[in-house]
Amino acid sequence: MYFPKSVRLCEVGLRDGLQNEKTLLDAEQKLFLLRGLIDAGFPVIEVGSFMSPKAVPQMKDTDDLFKALGSPAGVELRALVANLRGVQRAIDCGCTKVKLNVSASRQHNLRNINRTPEESVASFAESAELARDNGLEVSGSISMPFASPWEGTTPVEDVDSIIEAYLRVGVSEISLSDASGMAMPAQVNELCRHVREKYPQATWWLHFHNTRGLAMANILAAMDAGMTQFDSSFGGLGGCPFVPGAAGNISSEDVIHMCEGCGIETGIDLVKLMALTVNLKEMLSHSLDSYVLKAGRNEDLLKG
Amino acid sequence: MYFPKSVRLCEVGLRDGLQNEKTLLDAEQKLFLLRGLIDAGFPVIEVGSFMSPKAVPQMKDTDDLFKALGSPAGVELRALVANLRGVQRAIDCGCTKVKLNVSASRQHNLRNINRTPEESVASFAESAELARDNGLEVSGSISMPFASPWEGTTPVEDVDSIIEAYLRVGVSEISLSDASGMAMPAQVNELCRHVREKYPQATWWLHFHNTRGLAMANILAAMDAGMTQFDSSFGGLGGCPFVPGAAGNISSEDVIHMCEGCGIETGIDLVKLMALTVNLKEMLSHSLDSYVLKAGRNEDLLKG
């Protein structure tokens, strides 16, 4: 079993987490949290998305957040975009990295937007070009590359075909996102090995939801296959788009605690993060799904 | 990363789980659950313990449970014992397998019973002999072999020394029990490899608590090191003796679901088990820590 020496974590709570919350945080609260996350040492933070404020009201002030944050040193701030309009908003507010997303489920994609996943990715060409022409970095996410509620297990050929569509539009930083929380460790290990070997020109992110209690096991399985970039969410904020009330993203605190205990560097200050997540909990007025936040770190248990 | 073809699970909810519960279940309720667990196909079940009813009132009727169950085919029923009196009770009620337990923490053991762990295990000699003389199988558990609140990380030499003490009293089926939920996957992988290599005459069980969200990852790390016998608890019943309100044992439903998704046979019917755990939840009148029970199995999510 292989454990890497270090990993890079992207904190996605303010995007994938907050968009599942009923409580709307205002820009001031979000900025407090973002500055705390930067101070805790996250190398990458997903600040928000540039979607229609009507569709996702929680993300309506993403532009203001980027303007207020500017370009802090040592951290990459990224945002999710869906189209040209989103990229233009990103350019206008000083965001320097955008992420596109497509569902690997053919049926899901056809029903939602009447396009195959490959057609969706091909349609990203203009957005990716506009972003790059303005000096922005572009990454691409593939949602449900392991399994989906429509097809069950996603055929590897489908994942390959979507990766190749991304590569054709010049996007080589690719996130595999288990949004439905159906990924299984053996499959994760195998698919990660497969894509790393077949597409050495690409770099990878993994995004696991803890819907069925397997997110940490899946991170281990991905690390064993050589993956080193993972999304996580403070307090485990988030949910499952297909299961109301289910657990959300893997908790950042739990991942960092595991990494510290396995000699894997993250560069993140867990104590600072835990204090910040207590603030988040107060803002949202409900309990959060972080084991370490509830039980404390291993060292907090040591008897003086 | 290595995944075994099959694993054996021992359901420990009725012992390690119930003893953390305020609600006392009566013998009839426990028998209903035990018969359900047997019917679901668990190869091993920890029925209860033979402790003083004053110290552990939840376990006062363990004798009656064994008498009522008799010797059902295809399942091994075991009980935890602490001493000669416990073994005698086991003999008298027809229990055919007992498990002894010692803490790997030197300080914990010295403070609690003024003995080193090795002295404790040596003192088990009479109990083990009485059990064997009466045709009972004997296994031994080592609590906190990874880390404890007293010493932090448990030195490997201490674990070796306790294993050797067990072997000296003729006990070669040994359980490594992370009761404080402090084990880390890298350490689990390493310690499992170490003990398997150093003591090929022994057979092993692993017992993980999900206190800090790492139980499933630790099972994976142990499987990768060749381990194939794991304790789990329906509904994740249990708790942490050191952290009030913390998560308990790894949930049987979650482990079985993971195994099914990774092609690892358990011989257990997950659907039957999930229905039974709903009964358990009603008996205890509180929610349980099983992700799969809350979110459903992967296949429950499939559309049409």
Side-chain angles (χ1 to χ4, degrees):
Chain A
M1 193 166 197
Y2 171 76
F3 293 86
K5 289 214 166 48
S6 66
V7 293
R8 287 180 90 210
L9 299 185
C10 174
E11 169 58 52
V12 298
L14 289 173
R15 205 278 303 164
D16 196 25
L18 282 191
Q19 75 179 28
N20 282 286
E21 290 291 326
K22 281 179 190 160
T23 304
L24 288 183
L25 300 190
D26 61 30
E28 199 182 336
Q29 290 173 304
K30 289 182 190 174
L31 278 172
F32 173 83
L33 295 169
L34 281 163
R35 287 181 174 128
L37 293 171
I38 294 169
D39 183 52
F42 277 95
V44 188
I45 299 171
E46 197 159 292
V47 172
S49 65
F50 296 109
M51 305 294 175
S52 148
K54 278 186 195 160
V56 194
Q58 295 95 333
M59 298 291 116
K60 66 176 177 183
D61 46 19
T62 302
D63 320 70
D64 300 332
L65 301 178
F66 274 100
K67 283 179 195 161
L69 289 170
S71 305
V75 60
E76 182 178 280
L77 303 176
R78 77 182 187 204
L80 185 69
V81 293
N83 48 35
L84 271 179
R85 181 178 301 197
V87 174
Q88 192 56 57
R89 278 173 64 191
I91 295 165
D92 292 344
C93 70
C95 165
T96 58
K97 178 153 194 174
V98 291
K99 188 176 86 173
L100 294 150
N101 180 59
V102 69
S103 166
S105 164
R106 230 148 263 279
Q107 283 185 52
H108 185 217
N109 226 52
L110 286 167
R111 282 188 203 188
N112 272 12
I113 49 173
N114 200 28
R115 280 176 174 163
T116 66
E118 293 81 359
E119 286 168 349
S120 284
V121 174
S123 79
F124 294 157
E126 273 189 297
S127 298
E129 200 181 338
L130 177 64
R132 276 191 299 264
D133 285 350
N134 286 273
L136 277 65
E137 277 191 83
V138 186
S139 67
S141 170
I142 302 174
S143 183
M144 302 185 281
F146 302 102
S148 82
W150 289 269
E151 285 98 358
T153 302
T154 309
V156 177
E157 302 70 39
D158 285 12
V159 180
D160 285 353
S161 165
I162 300 166
I163 291 169
E164 286 161 23
Y166 266 128
L167 293 172
R168 277 196 295 275
V169 297
V171 175
S172 61
E173 180 179 328
I174 295 171
S175 174
L176 304 175
S177 168
D178 182 33
S180 57
M182 297 168 81
M184 287 285 172
Q187 184 198 14
V188 168
N189 192 256
E190 200 173 338
L191 188 64
C192 288
R193 284 181 193 282
H194 166 79
V195 299
R196 284 194 68 214
E197 190 172 322
K198 187 158 182 182
Y199 306 104
Q201 70 272 51
T203 55
W204 308 98
W205 283 87
L206 278 296
H207 176 108
F208 292 115
H209 280 237
N210 205 24
T211 322
R212 290 169 189 83
L214 289 172
M216 191 71 82
N218 285 333
I219 287 180
L220 238 68
M223 289 196 317
D224 180 71
M227 296 298 188
T228 56
Q229 300 194 112
F230 301 96
D231 289 351
S232 63
S233 169
F234 60 159
L237 208 61
C240 177
F242 309 105
V243 187
N249 290 274
I250 181 73
S251 136
S252 299
E253 297 81 14
D254 296 353
V255 176
I256 297 163
H257 184 253
M258 180 274 284
C259 286
E260 285 187 0
C262 293
I264 302 165
E265 281 198 29
T266 66
I268 301 162
D269 184 325
L270 179 53
V271 173
K272 276 189 183 175
L273 176 62
M274 286 167 72
L276 186 73
T277 307
V278 172
N279 284 295
L280 171 70
K281 189 178 157 187
E282 282 160 10
M283 289 179 188
L284 296 173
S285 308
H286 64 70
S287 70
L288 296 172
D289 276 333
S290 162
Y291 285 94
V292 171
L293 208 66
K294 286 177 191 163
R297 303 172 303 158
N298 272 4
E299 51 205 290
D300 297 329
L301 197 63
L302 296 183
K303 295 177 191 292
Chain B
M1 192 165 199
Y2 171 75
F3 293 86
K5 289 215 168 45
S6 67
V7 294
R8 287 179 90 210
L9 298 186
C10 173
E11 169 58 53
V12 298
L14 289 173
R15 205 278 301 166
D16 196 25
L18 282 192
Q19 74 180 29
N20 282 286
E21 290 292 324
K22 282 180 190 159
T23 303
L24 288 183
L25 300 190
D26 62 30
E28 199 181 336
Q29 290 174 305
K30 290 182 189 173
L31 278 172
F32 173 83
L33 295 170
L34 281 163
R35 287 182 174 130
L37 293 170
I38 293 168
D39 182 53
F42 276 95
V44 189
I45 299 171
E46 196 159 292
V47 173
S49 65
F50 296 109
M51 304 293 174
S52 149
K54 277 184 195 161
V56 193
Q58 295 94 333
M59 297 291 115
K60 66 176 176 182
D61 46 19
T62 302
D63 319 69
D64 300 331
L65 301 178
F66 274 100
K67 282 178 195 161
L69 290 170
S71 304
V75 59
E76 181 178 279
L77 303 176
R78 77 183 188 203
L80 186 69
V81 294
N83 48 34
L84 270 178
R85 178 177 304 197
V87 174
Q88 192 56 58
R89 279 174 64 191
I91 295 165
D92 294 343
C93 70
C95 164
T96 57
K97 178 151 195 175
V98 291
K99 187 176 86 174
L100 294 151
N101 180 57
V102 68
S103 166
S105 164
R106 230 148 262 281
Q107 284 185 51
H108 185 218
N109 225 52
L110 286 167
R111 283 187 201 190
N112 272 13
I113 49 173
N114 200 29
R115 280 175 173 164
T116 67
E118 293 81 359
E119 285 167 350
S120 284
V121 174
S123 79
F124 294 158
E126 273 189 297
S127 298
E129 201 182 337
L130 177 64
R132 276 191 298 263
D133 285 350
N134 285 274
L136 278 65
E137 277 191 83
V138 186
S139 67
S141 170
I142 302 175
S143 182
M144 300 185 282
F146 303 103
S148 82
W150 287 270
E151 286 99 355
T153 302
T154 308
V156 177
E157 301 71 39
D158 285 13
V159 181
D160 284 354
S161 165
I162 299 167
I163 291 169
E164 287 160 22
Y166 266 128
L167 293 173
R168 276 196 297 275
V169 298
V171 174
S172 60
E173 180 178 329
I174 295 171
S175 173
L176 304 176
S177 168
D178 182 34
S180 56
M182 298 167 81
M184 287 286 172
Q187 184 199 13
V188 168
N189 193 256
E190 200 173 339
L191 187 65
C192 288
R193 284 179 193 282
H194 166 78
V195 300
R196 285 194 69 215
E197 189 171 323
K198 188 160 183 181
Y199 307 104
Q201 70 272 51
T203 55
W204 307 98
W205 283 87
L206 277 296
H207 175 108
F208 292 115
H209 281 237
N210 206 24
T211 323
R212 290 169 189 84
L214 290 172
M216 191 70 80
N218 285 332
I219 287 180
L220 238 69
M223 288 195 320
D224 180 72
M227 296 298 189
T228 56
Q229 301 194 109
F230 300 96
D231 290 351
S232 63
S233 170
F234 59 158
L237 208 61
C240 177
F242 309 105
V243 186
N249 290 275
I250 180 73
S251 137
S252 299
E253 296 82 12
D254 296 354
V255 176
I256 296 162
H257 185 253
M258 181 275 285
C259 286
E260 286 187 1
C262 293
I264 303 165
E265 280 198 28
T266 66
I268 301 162
D269 185 326
L270 179 54
V271 173
K272 277 190 183 173
L273 176 62
M274 286 168 73
L276 186 72
T277 308
V278 171
N279 285 294
L280 171 69
K281 189 178 157 188
E282 282 160 11
M283 290 180 188
L284 296 173
S285 309
H286 64 69
S287 70
L288 295 173
D289 277 332
S290 162
Y291 285 93
V292 171
L293 207 66
K294 286 177 191 165
R297 304 171 303 157
N298 272 3
E299 50 205 289
D300 296 330
L301 197 63
L302 296 184
K303 295 177 193 292

